[in-house]
Amino acid sequence: MRKVVLFIAMSLDGYIADRNGKVDWLDSQDETTDAEHAYSEFTNTIDTVIMGWKTYAQVTTELSPSQWVYDDFTSYVITHRQKTSTEKIKFVSESPADLVKRLRERTGKDIWICGGASIAQQLMDADLIDRFHLSIIPTVLGDGVRLFGSRRQELRLRLLCAQSYNGITEVIYEKR
């Protein structure tokens, strides 16, 4: 069965966006070949990306307005907005848990949970995330969009890998 992987960057204090929903603080670190290598190594293992509307809007209006950066994958955008799907971008209104359960049954590579926090939290509550690949940026935001909100149940993880480059610490955990 395909694994579901939350691959996301967060601040040292656990936020994925600042209090205004912005992620420009992610650019505070110089890009390195190690970061590019880690990303390309990860993307070789996936063929599907899942995100919420806010993440989709941020990618298409702020981060990469001229080009869809996930063109090598089939992307699912969870939204209640009526948008026309394309071959590569599917707009769906089903719950994150129902979508993941449906996609897991299909043949393919792993599934990337790209954002945002609400999607990730719903999938954690449904016990549907197999691996957590977190890039911890050495920035303390103090407020914003918290990746791990309040949880109904404890989630125990096992460390698979930890590495550091250019001040960023990448940790990969699996469910125990």
Side-chain angles (χ1 to χ4, degrees):
M1 188 180 297
R2 303 165 77 180
K3 287 192 184 293
V4 178
V5 182
L6 175 64
F7 182 98
I8 200 163
M10 69 180 200
S11 66
L12 184 62
D13 54 346
Y15 296 100
I16 62 170
D18 68 18
R19 66 181 48 90
N20 298 314
K22 303 288 185 191
V23 295
D24 52 355
W25 55 273
L26 291 171
D27 293 334
S28 65
Q29 301 302 117
D30 294 329
E31 290 189 27
T32 67
T33 56
D34 289 337
E36 293 169 11
H37 177 72
Y39 177 78
S40 65
E41 193 174 285
F42 168 72
T43 57
N44 286 334
T45 68
I46 61 131
D47 62 6
T48 304
V49 178
I50 296 175
M51 67 187 70
W53 176 260
K54 288 179 189 174
T55 301
Y56 170 79
Q58 193 165 51
V59 169
T60 57
T61 62
E62 295 173 42
L63 302 176
S64 183
S66 61
Q67 171 188 345
W68 181 242
V69 292
Y70 304 115
D71 207 34
D72 293 337
F73 318 108
T74 301
S75 298
Y76 290 85
V77 179
I78 300 172
T79 181
H80 295 292
R81 291 169 175 80
Q82 298 299 315
K83 298 284 286 178
T84 303
S85 294
T86 67
E87 182 182 338
K88 289 293 190 173
I89 305 172
K90 312 290 184 194
F91 296 95
V92 297
S93 61
E94 63 196 296
S95 75
D98 288 344
L99 175 62
V100 164
K101 288 175 187 174
R102 180 170 59 87
L103 294 175
R104 261 191 158 160
E105 298 302 318
R106 295 183 182 172
T107 304
K109 294 181 177 183
D110 292 344
I111 301 166
W112 175 11
I113 307 305
C114 178
S118 175
I119 302 294
Q121 289 167 10
Q122 289 176 64
L123 292 172
M124 282 187 278
D125 287 345
D127 196 30
L128 289 171
I129 297 179
D130 301 302
R131 185 171 288 154
F132 297 78
H133 189 141
L134 307 173
S135 297
I136 302 167
I137 310 300
T139 299
V140 176
L141 295 175
D143 192 14
V145 179
R146 186 169 289 287
L147 177 57
F148 302 110
S150 61
R151 302 238 340 115
R152 288 182 246 168
Q153 59 192 21
E154 183 178 275
L155 178 61
R156 293 178 178 241
L157 304 172
R158 178 174 57 95
L159 180 66
L160 295 180
C161 176
Q163 60 185 356
S164 180
Y165 52 85
N166 194 31
I168 298 169
T169 300
E170 283 200 357
V171 291
I172 302 173
Y173 294 99
E174 268 190 346
K175 287 190 310 189
R176 280 199 247 167

